[in-house]
Amino acid sequence: MAFELPPLGYDYASLEPHVDAMTMNIHHTKHHQAYINNLNGALDKFPELKDLGIVDINKAVGTDKLPAEVATVIRNNGGGHYNHTFFWKVMTNPSNTNGPSGAVKEAIETAFGSVDEMKTKFNAAAAGRFGSGWAWLGVKADGSLAISSTPNQDNPLMSSLPDTAAMTPILGLDVWEHAYYLKYQNRRPEYIAAWWNVVNWEQVTANFEAAKAGSVPL
């Protein structure tokens, strides 16, 4: 079955003024759609891979499960599809975001000392990613939380890749320029700081609970 562009759970203007409507429209309908088109094109060459879901495709990156002919295309575009599908869900209208609570807040405080300290370290990972990439908050195998950064469209599910911290993502931020340049130009730190105003902490909590139960949230 071919992958399709998932609908957003909100309007393109819902994240204003922190993420502008034009960026959201282009990001969703052009950039994300292009990853899907390219991924489907690669999978057409190897129909036996079409039974894999997007999570399993990402976990197969860096292994011999992916034919060499399409391994890089699948890595880039399968990663792009998973990352963006995940990204849309961890954002919401600013009026709906109240910060972490419950078990996920407790886990953040245990791992980092405070929510503010977690944000500081996350911001540093996002701002310090040279070129294009992502910053992640995730659950490690021992159940604790950690922060990592990946280049391009890589993600923590691709644990077979060198220098990729294996964990299950519960929050992720796109720091490719197309995610912020129309509004913030080269001011990536300003975009990162503003983005916390649209984080969907209810979804992050659900992702945390899924990860703790051994599932990969999507």
Side-chain angles (χ1 to χ4, degrees):
M1 179 180 295
F3 291 106
E4 297 180 353
L5 184 69
L8 299 182
Y10 42 81
D11 295 333
Y12 291 125
S14 292
L15 308 184
E16 293 271 12
H18 309 290
V19 184
D20 62 283
M22 182 177 292
T23 291
M24 284 298 299
N25 189 319
I26 295 171
H27 200 172
H28 181 242
T29 64
K30 304 300 183 184
H31 291 279
H32 191 175
Q33 184 66 64
Y35 291 124
I36 292 170
N37 294 345
N38 292 334
L39 176 61
N40 286 334
L43 296 178
D44 283 342
K45 299 177 181 179
F46 294 91
E48 66 272 18
L49 298 177
K50 290 189 174 184
D51 291 335
L52 295 177
I54 194 59
V55 169
D56 288 333
I57 284 175
N58 277 262
K59 287 183 174 182
V61 169
T63 74
D64 58 8
K65 294 179 182 179
L66 298 181
E69 180 183 340
V70 292
T72 299
V73 175
I74 290 177
R75 173 182 177 177
N76 292 338
N77 294 282
H81 180 36
Y82 172 83
N83 293 352
H84 285 87
T85 301
F86 181 94
F87 185 50
W88 309 137
K89 288 188 174 185
V90 296
M91 296 189 292
T92 188
N93 185 282
S95 64
N96 296 332
T97 182
N98 298 307
S101 61
V104 72
K105 182 180 181 183
E106 182 179 342
I108 289 171
E109 292 172 341
T110 298
F112 305 101
S114 68
V115 173
D116 285 343
E117 184 62 20
M118 180 276 291
K119 288 183 177 180
T120 296
K121 291 182 176 179
F122 188 99
N123 291 357
R129 166 51 57 188
F130 181 77
S132 301
W134 293 73
W136 304 95
L137 176 68
V139 178
K140 299 192 295 184
D142 64 3
S144 65
L145 293 180
I147 288 168
S148 70
S149 174
T150 55
N152 302 316
Q153 293 298 348
D154 291 355
N155 60 60
L157 301 182
M158 302 176 181
S159 57
S160 294
L161 297 176
D163 302 321
T164 300
M167 60 183 188
T168 302
I170 65 169
L171 180 65
L173 173 60
D174 187 348
V175 292
W176 282 64
E177 285 188 342
H178 64 238
Y180 62 87
Y181 204 83
L182 292 181
K183 181 175 179 67
Y184 296 97
Q185 289 81 53
N186 63 330
R187 305 188 305 276
R188 184 191 288 186
E190 185 178 335
Y191 157 68
I192 295 167
W195 175 76
W196 289 107
N197 293 293
V198 297
V199 170
N200 184 344
W201 285 104
E202 289 187 5
Q203 183 64 53
V204 176
T205 299
N207 292 347
F208 176 72
E209 293 172 350
K212 294 282 284 185
S215 299
V216 176
L218 184 61

